[in-house]
Structures are given as C-alpha cells and as structure tokens.
Amino acid sequence: MDNMTDIRITQDSLHTLTALCLSALPHECCGLLTAPVSSNGQEAAITITGVVPVANIHPQPETGFAFDPAEWVEAYFRITKNRQHIAGMYHSHPSSPPVPSVRDLEGLPQEEASTHWIVSLSNPQRPAVKPYRRNGNQLTAIPLVIA
C-alpha cells in the first residue's frame, strides 16, 4: 500500500459503515475495515469488503474514541482466520466534518500500513466518509472509490 493513490469500498460495506456510525449517535463509534487476502497469502488489490465494529471504551465517547483491547484482539484473529486482512480503521465524528484532529491521532493504533477513515455525521441524512493514510504524525487524505 505504499503507492496508494485511492482505495475502494463496496457499496454494501459503505452502507454498513455509515449505518453502524449512525446507530452509535450521540457517541463516536470505531472499528476495523477488512479486505480479502489473495490465494498466495499476499494482500489483494485494496477493496474494503467488510466492516467489523470494535467497542469504543473512551471515557468521553461523545468526543473521543478508544478501541477496546479485548475486542481488537478477538476481531484480529477472526479476520485472519477468515482469510481477510485489516485494511483500515474507522471512527465517527458525530457533529464535526471528516477532518482528523490531534485527539484522533491519539486514539488510532500505530499501524503505518493501514488506512484511517472518518465518518462525519454532522448531516445524518448524508454522512460524509473520508479515508486517510498515516504519514508519521499526520493523516493525508486519499481518494475514495465506491466499487
């Protein structure tokens, strides 16, 4: 994923992602995004095909997120057992745009190869979804393609 110029997500996965985030209102929600692993064990072209929620255990879930460590580990093993890989992580912004904050960087695990997605629910009728890629201590927006 070092030369990533865009990332794809299936329409079904995009619908699941936004529905999960909406159902968590007024709290932020977080989780993992998965993609298939090719038959030779290498990552396939990156198309998000699964959404795995992970409980938000942040003490102030209206304004922050933190992945539940036990659910994270369980999800990781379930994902790899099903011949998938973690292609990204997501969280929602209940009332702000899909722009990363300093607090967002603090909540994200230090996965250099993963994408990080923000789902803005400031207009719940039209959630805005934006993927990013971590570059050191900042997140850089990458184009989103709906597959």
Side-chain angles (χ1 to χ4, degrees):
M1 290 185 9
D2 288 336
N3 297 320
M4 181 185 302
T5 57
D6 64 14
I7 189 158
R8 300 178 189 290
I9 187 169
T10 64
Q11 184 69 45
D12 286 346
S13 294
L14 182 62
H15 175 75
T16 299
L17 174 62
T18 56
L20 284 167
C21 292
L22 285 165
S23 71
L25 285 173
H27 297 159
E28 291 194 16
C29 127
C30 56
L32 306 171
L33 300 167
T34 65
V37 173
S38 68
S39 60
N40 64 5
Q42 300 298 311
E43 291 182 4
I46 304 301
T47 299
I48 303 298
T49 58
V51 181
V52 179
V54 175
N56 178 1
I57 61 166
H58 194 279
Q60 297 175 317
E62 299 85 4
T63 59
F65 71 98
F67 288 85
D68 179 291
E71 282 193 28
W72 170 270
V73 170
E74 189 276 328
Y76 173 81
F77 285 110
R78 187 175 71 245
I79 289 164
T80 55
K81 180 180 177 185
N82 290 323
R83 305 221 19 90
Q84 299 278 308
H85 73 277
I86 297 170
M89 296 162 222
Y90 71 88
H91 77 280
S92 61
H93 284 181
S95 59
S96 61
V99 177
S101 67
V102 172
R103 185 176 248 181
D104 291 343
L105 285 169
E106 292 169 356
L108 289 172
Q110 298 295 318
E111 292 279 333
E112 291 295 331
S114 290
T115 58
H116 305 285
W117 299 55
I118 301 174
V119 178
S120 170
L121 303 171
S122 58
N123 178 352
Q125 288 74 38
R126 298 189 73 137
V129 179
K130 188 69 185 164
Y132 293 85
R133 176 160 173 150
R134 183 185 286 272
N135 291 319
N137 287 329
Q138 68 182 47
L139 294 176
T140 304
I142 54 177
L144 172 62
V145 177
I146 299 171

Coordinates of all heavy atoms in Angstrom, one line a residue, residues 45-127:
A45 N -5.6 -6.5 -4.3 CA -5.9 -5.1 -4.5 C -6.8 -4.6 -3.4 O -7.8 -5.3 -3.1 CB -6.5 -4.9 -5.9
I46 N -6.6 -3.4 -2.9 CA -7.3 -3.0 -1.7 C -8.8 -2.5 -2.1 O -9.0 -1.5 -2.6 CB -6.6 -1.9 -1.0 CG1 -5.2 -2.3 -0.6 CG2 -7.4 -1.4 0.2 CD1 -5.1 -3.5 0.2
T47 N -9.7 -3.4 -1.8 CA -11.1 -3.1 -1.8 C -11.7 -3.5 -0.5 O -11.7 -4.7 -0.2 CB -11.8 -3.8 -3.0 OG1 -11.3 -3.4 -4.2 CG2 -13.3 -3.5 -3.0
I48 N -12.2 -2.5 0.3 CA -12.9 -2.8 1.5 C -14.1 -3.6 1.3 O -15.0 -3.2 0.5 CB -13.2 -1.5 2.3 CG1 -11.9 -0.7 2.5 CG2 -13.9 -1.9 3.6 CD1 -10.9 -1.3 3.3
T49 N -14.2 -4.8 1.9 CA -15.4 -5.7 1.7 C -16.1 -6.0 3.1 O -17.1 -6.7 3.1 CB -15.0 -7.0 1.0 OG1 -14.0 -7.7 1.8 CG2 -14.5 -6.8 -0.4
G50 N -15.5 -5.6 4.2 CA -16.1 -5.9 5.5 C -15.9 -4.8 6.5 O -14.9 -4.0 6.4
V51 N -16.8 -4.7 7.4 CA -16.8 -3.7 8.5 C -17.0 -4.5 9.8 O -17.9 -5.2 10.0 CB -17.9 -2.7 8.3 CG1 -17.8 -1.6 9.4 CG2 -17.8 -2.0 6.9
V52 N -16.0 -4.3 10.7 CA -16.0 -5.0 12.0 C -16.0 -4.0 13.1 O -15.0 -3.3 13.4 CB -14.8 -6.0 12.1 CG1 -14.8 -6.7 13.5 CG2 -14.7 -6.9 11.0
P53 N -17.2 -3.8 13.8 CA -17.2 -2.8 14.9 C -16.4 -3.3 16.1 O -16.3 -4.5 16.3 CB -18.7 -2.7 15.2 CG -19.3 -3.9 14.7 CD -18.5 -4.4 13.6
V54 N -15.7 -2.3 16.7 CA -15.0 -2.6 18.0 C -15.5 -1.6 19.0 O -15.6 -0.4 18.7 CB -13.5 -2.5 17.8 CG1 -12.7 -2.6 19.1 CG2 -13.0 -3.5 16.8
A55 N -15.8 -2.0 20.2 CA -16.4 -1.1 21.2 C -15.5 0.1 21.5 O -14.3 -0.1 21.5 CB -16.6 -1.9 22.5
N56 N -16.1 1.2 21.6 CA -15.4 2.5 22.0 C -15.4 2.6 23.5 O -16.5 2.7 24.1 CB -16.2 3.7 21.4 CG -15.5 5.0 21.7 OD1 -14.5 5.0 22.4 ND2 -16.1 6.1 21.3
I57 N -14.3 2.5 24.1 CA -14.2 2.5 25.6 C -13.6 3.8 26.1 O -13.2 3.9 27.2 CB -13.3 1.3 26.1 CG1 -11.9 1.4 25.6 CG2 -14.0 0.0 25.8 CD1 -10.9 0.5 26.3
H58 N -13.6 4.8 25.2 CA -13.2 6.2 25.7 C -14.0 6.7 26.8 O -15.3 6.5 26.8 CB -13.2 7.1 24.5 CG -12.4 8.4 24.7 ND1 -13.0 9.4 25.4 CD2 -11.2 8.8 24.3 CE1 -12.1 10.4 25.5 NE2 -11.0 10.0 24.8
P59 N -13.4 7.3 27.8 CA -14.2 7.8 28.9 C -15.2 8.9 28.6 O -16.2 9.2 29.3 CB -13.2 8.3 30.0 CG -11.9 8.4 29.2 CD -12.0 7.5 28.0
Q60 N -15.0 9.6 27.4 CA -15.9 10.6 26.9 C -16.2 10.3 25.5 O -15.8 10.9 24.5 CB -15.3 12.0 27.0 CG -14.9 12.4 28.4 CD -14.2 13.7 28.4 OE1 -13.3 14.0 27.7 NE2 -14.6 14.6 29.3
P61 N -17.1 9.2 25.3 CA -17.4 8.7 23.9 C -18.1 9.7 23.0 O -18.1 9.5 21.8 CB -18.2 7.5 24.2 CG -18.9 7.7 25.5 CD -17.9 8.5 26.3
E62 N -18.6 10.8 23.6 CA -19.3 11.8 22.7 C -18.2 12.6 21.9 O -18.5 13.2 20.9 CB -20.1 12.8 23.5 CG -21.2 12.2 24.3 CD -20.8 11.6 25.7 OE1 -19.6 11.8 26.1 OE2 -21.6 11.0 26.3
T63 N -17.0 12.6 22.4 CA -15.9 13.4 21.8 C -14.6 12.7 21.5 O -13.7 13.3 21.1 CB -15.6 14.7 22.6 OG1 -15.2 14.2 23.9 CG2 -16.9 15.6 22.8
G64 N -14.6 11.4 21.8 CA -13.4 10.7 21.6 C -13.6 9.2 21.4 O -14.7 8.7 21.6
F65 N -12.6 8.5 21.0 CA -12.7 7.0 20.8 C -11.4 6.4 21.2 O -10.3 6.9 21.2 CB -13.0 6.7 19.4 CG -11.9 6.9 18.4 CD1 -11.1 5.8 18.0 CD2 -11.6 8.1 17.9 CE1 -10.0 6.0 17.2 CE2 -10.5 8.3 17.0 CZ -9.7 7.2 16.7
A66 N -11.6 5.1 21.7 CA -10.5 4.2 22.1 C -11.0 2.8 21.8 O -12.1 2.4 22.3 CB -10.1 4.4 23.5
F67 N -10.2 2.0 21.1 CA -10.6 0.7 20.8 C -10.5 -0.2 22.0 O -9.5 -0.1 22.8 CB -9.6 0.1 19.7 CG -9.8 0.6 18.4 CD1 -9.2 1.8 18.0 CD2 -10.6 -0.1 17.4 CE1 -9.4 2.3 16.7 CE2 -10.8 0.4 16.2 CZ -10.2 1.6 15.8
D68 N -11.5 -1.0 22.3 CA -11.5 -2.0 23.4 C -10.4 -3.0 23.0 O -10.5 -3.7 22.0 CB -12.8 -2.7 23.5 CG -12.9 -3.7 24.6 OD1 -12.2 -4.8 24.4 OD2 -13.5 -3.5 25.6
P69 N -9.3 -3.2 23.8 CA -8.2 -4.1 23.5 C -8.7 -5.6 23.3 O -8.2 -6.2 22.4 CB -7.3 -4.0 24.7 CG -7.6 -2.7 25.3 CD -9.1 -2.4 25.1
A70 N -9.6 -6.0 24.2 CA -10.0 -7.4 24.1 C -10.8 -7.7 22.8 O -10.6 -8.7 22.1 CB -10.9 -7.8 25.3
E71 N -11.7 -6.7 22.4 CA -12.4 -6.9 21.2 C -11.5 -6.8 20.0 O -11.7 -7.4 19.0 CB -13.5 -5.8 21.1 CG -14.7 -6.2 21.9 CD -15.9 -5.3 21.6 OE1 -16.1 -4.9 20.4 OE2 -16.8 -5.2 22.5
W72 N -10.5 -5.9 20.1 CA -9.5 -5.7 19.0 C -8.8 -7.1 18.7 O -8.7 -7.5 17.6 CB -8.5 -4.6 19.4 CG -7.3 -4.5 18.5 CD1 -6.1 -5.2 18.6 CD2 -7.2 -3.8 17.3 NE1 -5.3 -4.9 17.6 CE2 -5.9 -4.0 16.8 CE3 -8.0 -2.8 16.7 CZ2 -5.4 -3.3 15.7 CZ3 -7.5 -2.2 15.6 CH2 -6.3 -2.5 15.0
V73 N -8.3 -7.7 19.8 CA -7.6 -9.0 19.6 C -8.5 -10.0 19.0 O -8.2 -10.8 18.1 CB -7.0 -9.4 20.9 CG1 -6.4 -10.9 20.9 CG2 -5.9 -8.5 21.4
E74 N -9.7 -10.1 19.6 CA -10.7 -11.1 19.1 C -11.0 -10.9 17.6 O -11.0 -11.8 16.8 CB -12.0 -11.1 19.9 CG -12.9 -12.2 19.6 CD -13.9 -11.9 18.5 OE1 -14.2 -10.8 18.2 OE2 -14.2 -12.9 17.7
A75 N -11.2 -9.6 17.2 CA -11.5 -9.3 15.8 C -10.4 -9.6 14.9 O -10.5 -10.1 13.8 CB -11.9 -7.8 15.7
Y76 N -9.1 -9.3 15.4 CA -8.0 -9.6 14.6 C -7.9 -11.1 14.2 O -7.7 -11.5 13.1 CB -6.7 -9.2 15.3 CG -5.4 -9.6 14.6 CD1 -4.9 -8.9 13.5 CD2 -4.8 -10.8 15.0 CE1 -3.8 -9.3 12.8 CE2 -3.6 -11.2 14.3 CZ -3.2 -10.5 13.2 OH -2.1 -10.9 12.5
F77 N -8.0 -12.0 15.2 CA -8.0 -13.4 15.0 C -9.1 -13.9 14.1 O -8.9 -14.7 13.2 CB -7.9 -14.2 16.3 CG -6.5 -14.1 16.9 CD1 -6.3 -13.3 18.1 CD2 -5.4 -14.7 16.3 CE1 -5.1 -13.2 18.6 CE2 -4.1 -14.5 16.8 CZ -4.0 -13.8 18.0
R78 N -10.3 -13.3 14.3 CA -11.4 -13.7 13.5 C -11.2 -13.3 12.0 O -11.5 -14.0 11.1 CB -12.7 -13.1 14.0 CG -14.0 -13.6 13.3 CD -15.3 -13.1 13.9 NE -15.5 -11.7 13.7 CZ -15.5 -10.8 14.7 NH1 -15.3 -11.1 15.9 NH2 -15.7 -9.5 14.4
I79 N -10.7 -12.1 11.8 CA -10.4 -11.6 10.5 C -9.4 -12.4 9.7 O -9.6 -12.9 8.6 CB -10.0 -10.1 10.5 CG1 -11.2 -9.2 11.0 CG2 -9.4 -9.6 9.2 CD1 -10.8 -7.8 11.4
T80 N -8.3 -12.7 10.4 CA -7.2 -13.5 9.7 C -7.7 -14.9 9.5 O -7.3 -15.5 8.5 CB -5.9 -13.5 10.5 OG1 -6.1 -13.9 11.9 CG2 -5.3 -12.1 10.5
K81 N -8.5 -15.5 10.4 CA -9.0 -16.9 10.2 C -9.9 -16.9 9.0 O -9.9 -18.0 8.3 CB -9.8 -17.3 11.5 CG -10.3 -18.7 11.4 CD -11.1 -19.0 12.6 CE -11.7 -20.4 12.5 NZ -12.6 -20.7 13.6
N82 N -10.6 -15.9 8.7 CA -11.4 -15.8 7.5 C -10.8 -15.3 6.2 O -11.4 -14.9 5.3 CB -12.7 -14.9 7.8 CG -13.6 -15.6 8.8 OD1 -13.8 -16.8 8.8 ND2 -14.1 -14.8 9.7
R83 N -9.4 -15.4 6.2 CA -8.6 -15.0 5.0 C -8.8 -13.6 4.6 O -8.9 -13.3 3.4 CB -8.8 -16.0 3.9 CG -8.5 -17.4 4.3 CD -7.8 -18.4 3.4 NE -7.0 -17.8 2.3 CZ -5.7 -17.5 2.4 NH1 -5.1 -17.7 3.5 NH2 -5.1 -17.1 1.3
Q84 N -8.9 -12.7 5.6 CA -9.1 -11.3 5.3 C -7.9 -10.6 6.0 O -7.1 -11.3 6.8 CB -10.3 -10.8 6.0 CG -11.6 -11.4 5.5 CD -12.1 -10.7 4.2 OE1 -12.2 -9.5 4.1 NE2 -12.3 -11.6 3.1
H85 N -7.7 -9.4 5.7 CA -6.7 -8.6 6.5 C -7.3 -7.3 6.8 O -8.3 -6.8 6.2 CB -5.3 -8.4 5.7 CG -5.4 -7.5 4.5 ND1 -5.9 -7.8 3.3 CD2 -5.1 -6.2 4.4 CE1 -5.9 -6.8 2.5 NE2 -5.4 -5.8 3.1
I86 N -6.7 -6.6 7.8 CA -7.2 -5.3 8.3 C -6.6 -4.3 7.3 O -5.4 -4.1 7.2 CB -6.7 -5.0 9.7 CG1 -7.4 -6.0 10.7 CG2 -7.1 -3.6 10.1 CD1 -6.8 -6.0 12.1
A87 N -7.5 -3.7 6.5 CA -7.1 -2.7 5.5 C -7.3 -1.3 6.0 O -6.8 -0.3 5.4 CB -7.9 -2.9 4.2
G88 N -8.0 -1.2 7.2 CA -8.2 0.2 7.7 C -8.9 0.1 9.0 O -9.3 -0.9 9.5
M89 N -9.0 1.3 9.6 CA -9.7 1.5 10.9 C -10.6 2.7 10.7 O -10.3 3.6 9.8 CB -8.7 1.8 12.0 CG -7.8 0.7 12.3 SD -6.4 1.2 13.3 CE -5.1 0.3 12.4
Y90 N -11.7 2.7 11.4 CA -12.6 3.9 11.2 C -13.1 4.4 12.6 O -13.0 3.7 13.6 CB -13.8 3.5 10.4 CG -14.8 2.5 11.1 CD1 -15.8 3.0 11.8 CD2 -14.6 1.2 10.9 CE1 -16.7 2.2 12.5 CE2 -15.5 0.3 11.6 CZ -16.6 0.8 12.3 OH -17.4 0.0 13.0
H91 N -13.5 5.6 12.6 CA -14.3 6.2 13.7 C -15.2 7.3 13.1 O -15.0 7.7 12.0 CB -13.3 6.7 14.8 CG -12.7 8.0 14.5 ND1 -11.6 8.1 13.7 CD2 -13.0 9.2 14.9 CE1 -11.2 9.4 13.6 NE2 -12.0 10.1 14.3
S92 N -16.1 7.7 14.0 CA -17.1 8.7 13.5 C -16.9 10.0 14.3 O -16.3 10.0 15.4 CB -18.5 8.2 13.7 OG -18.8 7.9 15.1
H93 N -17.3 11.0 13.6 CA -17.4 12.4 14.2 C -18.9 12.7 14.3 O -19.5 13.0 13.2 CB -16.7 13.4 13.4 CG -15.2 13.4 13.5 ND1 -14.4 14.3 12.8 CD2 -14.4 12.6 14.2 CE1 -13.1 14.0 13.1 NE2 -13.1 13.0 13.9
P94 N -19.5 12.6 15.4 CA -21.0 12.9 15.5 C -21.5 14.2 15.0 O -22.6 14.3 14.5 CB -21.3 12.7 17.0 CG -20.2 11.8 17.5 CD -19.0 12.2 16.7
S95 N -20.6 15.3 15.2 CA -21.1 16.6 14.8 C -20.1 17.5 14.1 O -20.3 18.7 14.0 CB -21.7 17.3 16.0 OG -20.6 17.4 17.0
S96 N -19.0 16.9 13.7 CA -18.0 17.7 13.0 C -17.6 17.1 11.7 O -17.9 15.9 11.4 CB -16.7 17.8 13.9 OG -16.2 16.6 14.2
P97 N -16.9 17.8 10.8 CA -16.5 17.3 9.5 C -15.5 16.1 9.6 O -14.9 15.9 10.6 CB -15.9 18.5 8.8 CG -15.8 19.6 9.7 CD -16.5 19.2 11.0
P98 N -15.3 15.4 8.5 CA -14.4 14.3 8.5 C -13.0 14.7 8.3 O -12.2 14.3 7.4 CB -14.9 13.5 7.3 CG -15.4 14.5 6.3 CD -16.0 15.6 7.2
V99 N -12.5 15.5 9.3 CA -11.2 16.1 9.3 C -10.5 15.6 10.5 O -11.0 15.7 11.6 CB -11.2 17.6 9.2 CG1 -9.8 18.2 9.3 CG2 -11.9 18.1 8.0
P100 N -9.3 15.0 10.4 CA -8.6 14.5 11.6 C -8.2 15.5 12.6 O -7.8 16.6 12.2 CB -7.4 13.7 11.1 CG -7.2 14.2 9.7 CD -8.5 14.8 9.2
S101 N -8.3 15.2 13.9 CA -7.9 16.1 14.9 C -6.7 15.5 15.7 O -6.4 14.3 15.5 CB -9.0 16.3 15.9 OG -9.3 15.1 16.6
V102 N -6.1 16.2 16.5 CA -5.0 15.7 17.3 C -5.5 14.6 18.2 O -4.8 13.5 18.3 CB -4.4 16.8 18.2 CG1 -3.4 16.3 19.2 CG2 -3.7 17.9 17.4
R103 N -6.7 14.7 18.7 CA -7.3 13.6 19.5 C -7.5 12.3 18.7 O -7.3 11.3 19.2 CB -8.6 14.1 20.1 CG -9.2 13.1 21.1 CD -10.5 13.7 21.6 NE -10.3 14.0 23.0 CZ -11.2 14.5 23.8 NH1 -12.3 14.8 23.4 NH2 -10.9 14.7 25.1
D104 N -7.8 12.5 17.4 CA -8.0 11.3 16.6 C -6.6 10.6 16.5 O -6.6 9.3 16.5 CB -8.4 11.7 15.1 CG -9.8 12.2 15.1 OD1 -10.6 12.0 16.0 OD2 -10.2 12.9 14.1
L105 N -5.6 11.3 16.2 CA -4.2 10.6 16.1 C -3.9 9.9 17.4 O -3.3 8.8 17.4 CB -3.2 11.6 15.8 CG -3.2 12.1 14.3 CD1 -2.2 13.3 14.2 CD2 -2.8 11.0 13.4
E106 N -4.3 10.4 18.6 CA -4.0 9.8 19.8 C -4.8 8.5 20.0 O -4.4 7.5 20.6 CB -4.4 10.7 21.0 CG -3.5 11.9 21.1 CD -4.0 13.0 22.1 OE1 -5.1 12.8 22.6 OE2 -3.3 14.0 22.3
G107 N -6.0 8.4 19.4 CA -6.9 7.3 19.5 C -6.6 6.1 18.6 O -7.0 5.0 18.8
L108 N -5.8 6.4 17.5 CA -5.6 5.4 16.5 C -4.4 4.6 16.9 O -3.3 5.1 17.3 CB -5.3 6.1 15.1 CG -6.4 6.7 14.4 CD1 -6.0 7.5 13.2 CD2 -7.5 5.7 14.0
P109 N -4.5 3.2 16.7 CA -3.3 2.4 16.9 C -2.2 2.8 15.9 O -2.5 3.3 14.8 CB -3.9 1.0 16.6 CG -5.3 1.1 16.8 CD -5.7 2.5 16.4
Q110 N -1.0 2.5 16.2 CA 0.1 2.9 15.3 C 0.4 1.9 14.2 O 1.4 1.3 14.1 CB 1.4 3.0 16.2 CG 1.3 4.1 17.3 CD 1.2 5.5 16.7 OE1 1.9 5.8 15.8 NE2 0.4 6.3 17.3
E111 N -0.6 1.8 13.3 CA -0.5 0.9 12.1 C -0.1 1.8 10.9 O -0.9 2.4 10.3 CB -1.8 0.2 11.9 CG -2.2 -0.8 12.9 CD -1.6 -2.1 12.7 OE1 -1.2 -2.4 11.5 OE2 -1.4 -2.8 13.7
E112 N 1.1 1.8 10.6 CA 1.6 2.6 9.4 C 1.0 2.2 8.1 O 0.7 3.0 7.3 CB 3.1 2.5 9.3 CG 3.9 3.1 10.4 CD 3.7 4.7 10.5 OE1 3.5 5.3 9.4 OE2 3.8 5.2 11.6
A113 N 0.7 0.9 7.9 CA 0.2 0.5 6.6 C -1.3 0.6 6.4 O -1.8 0.4 5.4 CB 0.6 -1.0 6.4
S114 N -2.0 0.9 7.5 CA -3.5 0.9 7.4 C -4.0 2.3 7.0 O -3.3 3.3 7.1 CB -4.1 0.6 8.8 OG -3.9 -0.7 9.1
T115 N -5.2 2.3 6.5 CA -5.9 3.5 6.2 C -6.8 3.8 7.4 O -7.1 2.9 8.2 CB -6.8 3.3 5.0 OG1 -7.7 2.3 5.2 CG2 -6.0 3.1 3.7
H116 N -7.1 5.0 7.6 CA -7.9 5.5 8.7 C -9.1 6.3 8.1 O -8.8 7.3 7.3 CB -7.0 6.4 9.6 CG -5.8 5.7 10.1 ND1 -5.9 4.7 11.1 CD2 -4.5 5.8 9.7 CE1 -4.6 4.2 11.3 NE2 -3.8 4.9 10.5
W117 N -10.3 5.9 8.5 CA -11.5 6.5 7.9 C -12.2 7.3 8.9 O -12.4 6.9 10.1 CB -12.4 5.4 7.4 CG -11.7 4.6 6.3 CD1 -10.6 3.9 6.3 CD2 -12.3 4.3 5.0 NE1 -10.3 3.2 5.1 CE2 -11.4 3.5 4.3 CE3 -13.5 4.7 4.4 CZ2 -11.6 3.0 3.0 CZ3 -13.7 4.2 3.1 CH2 -12.8 3.4 2.4
I118 N -12.7 8.5 8.5 CA -13.5 9.3 9.4 C -14.9 9.4 8.7 O -15.0 9.8 7.6 CB -12.9 10.7 9.7 CG1 -11.5 10.5 10.3 CG2 -13.9 11.5 10.6 CD1 -10.8 11.8 10.5
V119 N -15.9 9.1 9.5 CA -17.3 9.2 9.1 C -17.9 10.4 9.8 O -18.1 10.4 11.0 CB -18.1 7.9 9.3 CG1 -19.6 8.1 8.8 CG2 -17.5 6.8 8.7
S120 N -18.3 11.5 9.1 CA -18.9 12.7 9.7 C -20.4 12.5 9.6 O -21.0 12.2 8.6 CB -18.5 13.9 8.9 OG -19.3 15.0 9.4
L121 N -21.0 12.7 10.8 CA -22.5 12.6 10.9 C -23.1 14.0 11.2 O -24.2 14.1 11.7 CB -22.8 11.6 12.0 CG -22.2 10.2 11.8 CD1 -22.5 9.4 13.0 CD2 -22.8 9.6 10.5
S122 N -22.3 15.1 10.8 CA -22.9 16.4 11.1 C -24.2 16.6 10.3 O -25.0 17.4 10.7 CB -21.8 17.5 10.7 OG -21.4 17.4 9.4
N123 N -24.3 15.9 9.2 CA -25.6 15.9 8.5 C -26.0 14.4 8.4 O -25.6 13.7 7.5 CB -25.5 16.5 7.0 CG -26.8 16.4 6.3 OD1 -27.8 15.8 6.7 ND2 -26.8 17.0 5.1
P124 N -26.8 13.9 9.4 CA -27.1 12.5 9.4 C -27.8 11.9 8.2 O -27.7 10.7 7.9 CB -28.0 12.3 10.7 CG -27.7 13.6 11.5 CD -27.4 14.6 10.5
Q125 N -28.4 12.8 7.4 CA -29.1 12.3 6.2 C -28.1 12.0 5.1 O -28.3 11.3 4.1 CB -30.2 13.3 5.7 CG -31.4 13.3 6.5 CD -31.2 14.0 7.9 OE1 -30.5 15.0 8.0 NE2 -31.8 13.4 8.9
R126 N -26.9 12.6 5.2 CA -25.8 12.5 4.2 C -24.5 12.4 4.9 O -23.7 13.3 4.9 CB -25.8 13.7 3.3 CG -27.1 13.8 2.5 CD -26.9 14.8 1.4 NE -26.1 14.3 0.4 CZ -26.3 14.4 -0.9 NH1 -27.2 15.1 -1.3 NH2 -25.5 13.8 -1.7
P127 N -24.2 11.2 5.5 CA -22.9 11.0 6.1 C -21.8 11.2 5.1 O -21.9 10.9 4.0 CB -22.9 9.6 6.6 CG -24.4 9.3 6.8 CD -25.0 10.0 5.6

